[in-house]
Amino acid sequence: MTETVLTYADWSEALREGELLGQKCADCGNVTGVPKAACPECGSRELSTTNLPEKGTVYTETTVAVAPEGFEGGYKVGIVQVGEARVLGRLDSEADIGDEVVFADVFEHDGEPAPVFEIRQ
Amino acid sequence: MARATVVGVDMTKFGVHDSKLPELFADAAFPALDDAGVTQDELDAFYFGNAMSGLAENETHLAPKVATHMGMTDVPFQRFEDACATSANAFKNAVQAVDAGIHDTVLVGGVERCTPKTGMDTPEMTRVFASASHRQYEQPSGLTFPGVFALLTKRHMHEYGTTEEQLAEVAVKNHYHGSLNPRAHFGKETTVEDVLDGPIVADPFRLMDCCPFSDGASAVVVTNDELGDSFDGEGVDVTGVGHGVDAVPLSDKASLPETRAARDGAKEAYEDAGVTPSDIDFAEVHDCFTGAEVMATEALGLIEDGEGGPAAEEGRTRLGGEIPVNPSGGLKAKGHPIGATGTAQITELTEQLRGDARERQVEDARAGVAHNLGGDSGTTVVTVMEERA
């Protein structure tokens, strides 16, 4: 494969620019929400970078009250179905399973980003 | 023919210990060797489990330190780390090595210190535990381990209608079982009301839905089927082992409530043993959180999918019920010193199948299953043990 495989650096830079990048497998068609060197379903290295939809549906969520060192408790973390992939990130405190949300912002912790999803207006 | 035979077991009480890691491990391992009636020079290998000491105590390459402390520097040793499935995976490797004829007799066990005796408080230890979630794609969000299992459990609640009261019933049952186990971290019973009154850790989990931070050690002696009757300790057969795996991070798992690794591991272990779930008399499952037990009982085929919550509520999984789950008290009440948990489950299976479990003895126990998962359930080791043929 000649195309450069999506890296963490590419993914996080794009996230900060408001783009959710994923990968699509040329062999089995599987779409994954975060970069890998090979398809987690079939092992193929024929992966192309793809733009994931900004709008999605909450698959599951929880409000973390007891937080790790370096975080303040009381935030919501969840997994969002965006198109064919799922992505984990911070969620609007009102977002429940099944709610429509949109990728709206980036949460930064120690220079490392996580996507933030808000309820679709 | 059995894959292997367990001929000696023991564990420390789980709870708070002042003793250092090698000392704590020896407190479980020497009694296990004595139970089997073997000395260190009769061992062919030492498979040792510890998950967190590099992060929590600045301790790596721990196996030689433990072996030296125990006077077994002639026994080849190796350390295993698979998060909470650490010593179950050490055990699986020992069973396979014995079954393949590579070793005759192996000491397997694990040790961990997770209470503030390590010098770490709750926020620091919460960070250390979160190291098992994906470094780039999960940790920056502030996801915790109670949070990981909350994500699985809330989806289960959404798909099947499992309730917080049913989750609380798992804690109540396991605290009751723990009250019958002198080595349990928590020896007191609790009530659904008390569980539901507790502070939230990560919703739907309240404090009493979560296993404690514990210190402790466990150890077992494994030998081959042929030698299984030649030790002091009554042998119990390992008839099936399965090792299921799944993707990490969570967002790459096809379904969260199904815990696919547990289903694959169980299928492999049952086929290996030539049994079906209906042949199983009791189970020790990885109830790091109440919701994890609900999903484990379903994944192991002991309870119908979606019925794990009602089963706990109806007493089906209680001692005296149709399929007792976690007669030891489980991680919830017995405690969860990470690297010691897998072989502590093997210790409980062995004692139950020997008929030595006293007040918490499962009636007519002939076959038991252990389910030990690591991380977000991406590693799950399932072991079937039966009365010696």
Side-chain angles (χ1 to χ4, degrees):
Chain A
M1 177 162 186
T2 50
E3 194 184 339
T4 314
V5 171
L6 185 70
T7 64
Y8 171 70
D10 305 329
W11 178 86
S12 48
E13 193 185 320
L15 203 65
R16 290 183 178 117
E17 287 167 7
E19 271 189 294
L20 262 183
L21 295 185
Q23 290 169 310
K24 188 175 176 77
C25 175
D27 287 338
C28 77
N30 180 60
V31 180
T32 175
V34 291
K36 295 170 188 73
C39 174
E41 284 300 311
C42 75
S44 168
R45 296 183 218 173
E46 299 290 320
L47 300 176
S48 59
T49 301
T50 181
N51 280 288
L52 299 174
E54 289 183 4
K55 291 169 185 171
T57 309
V58 178
Y59 174 72
T60 187
E61 50 78 24
T62 182
T63 300
V64 175
V66 178
E69 185 183 24
F71 291 86
E72 276 293 316
Y75 49 87
K76 188 168 274 199
V77 175
I79 297 175
V80 179
Q81 183 83 44
V82 279
E84 294 171 73
R86 288 191 198 131
V87 174
L88 180 138
R90 283 285 182 100
L91 250 56
D92 205 311
S93 64
E94 301 298 309
D96 289 323
I97 294 178
D99 285 350
E100 302 268 299
V101 289
V102 61
F103 169 48
D105 199 1
V106 172
F107 170 79
E108 296 273 354
H109 179 75
D110 277 350
E112 296 173 332
V116 177
F117 294 89
E118 291 176 358
I119 290 186
R120 199 171 159 182
Q121 296 301 322
Chain B
M1 202 173 95
R3 291 268 172 231
T5 304
V6 173
V7 292
V9 296
D10 216 327
M11 58 181 277
T12 66
K13 180 176 165 59
F14 286 178
V16 180
H17 288 277
D18 283 315
S19 47
K20 303 304 178 192
L21 288 167
E23 297 169 342
L24 188 55
F25 185 71
D27 287 344
F30 279 133
L33 292 177
D34 293 347
D35 180 31
V38 302
T39 53
Q40 296 95 311
D41 58 0
E42 293 171 84
L43 297 171
D44 300 302
F46 171 34
Y47 286 13
F48 172 73
N50 172 271
M52 300 292 183
S53 68
L55 288 166
E57 307 207 48
N58 202 39
E59 279 268 27
T60 57
H61 206 209
L62 190 55
K65 300 174 193 173
V66 169
T68 304
H69 183 70
M70 291 184 58
M72 18 183 240
T73 45
D74 290 337
V75 181
F77 38 71
Q78 58 185 306
R79 172 183 171 165
F80 292 79
E81 188 271 301
D82 279 291
C84 307
T86 286
S87 56
N89 208 9
F91 180 74
K92 181 205 83 164
N93 277 273
V95 166
Q96 290 176 339
V98 160
D99 191 29
I102 296 166
H103 303 307
D104 285 337
T105 305
V106 182
L107 174 66
V108 193
V111 64
E112 205 84 46
R113 299 201 319 162
C114 304
T115 70
K117 290 290 175 192
T118 56
M120 286 192 159
D121 58 15
T122 296
E124 283 177 292
M125 198 49 90
T126 300
R127 174 179 60 78
V128 167
F129 276 48
S131 67
S133 62
H134 199 289
R135 181 67 189 83
Q136 282 76 44
Y137 307 119
E138 293 180 329
Q139 290 183 34
S141 70
L143 183 62
T144 60
F145 252 78
V148 165
F149 282 87
L151 291 174
L152 272 66
T153 301
K154 281 193 92 170
R155 187 71 201 180
H156 192 279
M157 296 166 90
H158 176 79
E159 290 184 15
Y160 297 112
T162 308
T163 66
E164 289 185 23
E165 288 74 16
Q166 290 165 350
L167 298 178
E169 292 280 6
V170 173
V172 170
K173 167 185 72 72
N174 288 350
H175 274 257
Y176 163 61
H177 293 172
S179 75
L180 307 175
N181 184 352
R183 293 174 303 199
H185 192 154
F186 293 137
K188 278 199 292 197
E189 291 198 59
T190 187
T191 63
V192 169
E193 293 71 34
D194 283 348
V195 177
L196 294 176
D197 276 348
I200 295 270
V201 174
D203 83 299
F205 298 143
R206 294 167 186 277
L207 184 62
M208 293 286 279
D209 286 290
C210 308
C211 69
F213 292 135
S214 310
D215 306 328
S218 62
V220 307
V221 179
V222 183
T223 193
N224 64 43
D225 184 61
E226 210 169 296
L227 293 173
D229 295 320
S230 60
F231 292 87
D232 294 349
E234 181 189 339
V236 176
D237 285 345
V238 182
T239 52
V241 179
H243 182 173
V245 296
D246 203 350
V248 175
L250 288 169
S251 57
D252 280 305
K253 289 179 172 66
S255 159
L256 295 186
E258 80 165 345
T259 59
R260 194 191 83 196
R263 285 167 198 262
D264 291 350
K267 184 169 184 284
E268 187 185 359
Y270 292 152
E271 281 177 9
D272 200 23
V275 301
T276 66
S278 63
D279 297 315
I280 301 294
D281 300 311
F282 69 101
E284 282 287 309
V285 309
H286 197 91
D287 58 329
C288 45
F289 303 94
T290 50
E293 174 169 314
V294 167
M295 289 180 276
T297 56
E298 296 173 11
L300 293 174
L302 303 173
I303 300 291
E304 309 76 29
D305 282 346
E307 293 299 315
E313 196 167 38
E314 292 156 13
R316 291 171 67 193
T317 51
R318 198 178 170 93
L319 270 172
E322 142 198 354
I323 173 78
V325 174
N326 284 323
S328 71
L331 283 59
K332 174 72 265 279
K334 182 183 59 187
H336 184 28
I338 311 299
T341 286
T343 40
Q345 291 182 331
I346 301 302
T347 298
E348 180 70 13
L349 259 59
T350 302
E351 292 184 351
Q352 289 284 352
L353 293 165
R354 283 173 171 177
D356 283 347
R358 299 190 184 139
E359 280 182 87
R360 62 182 197 285
Q361 181 65 48
V362 174
E363 224 176 299
D364 297 325
R366 295 198 168 83
V369 64
H371 157 284
N372 185 202
L373 68 77
D376 64 1
S377 78
T379 295
T380 307
V381 179
V382 179
T383 307
V384 176
M385 293 180 69
E386 298 179 64
E387 273 186 333
R388 187 147 165 78

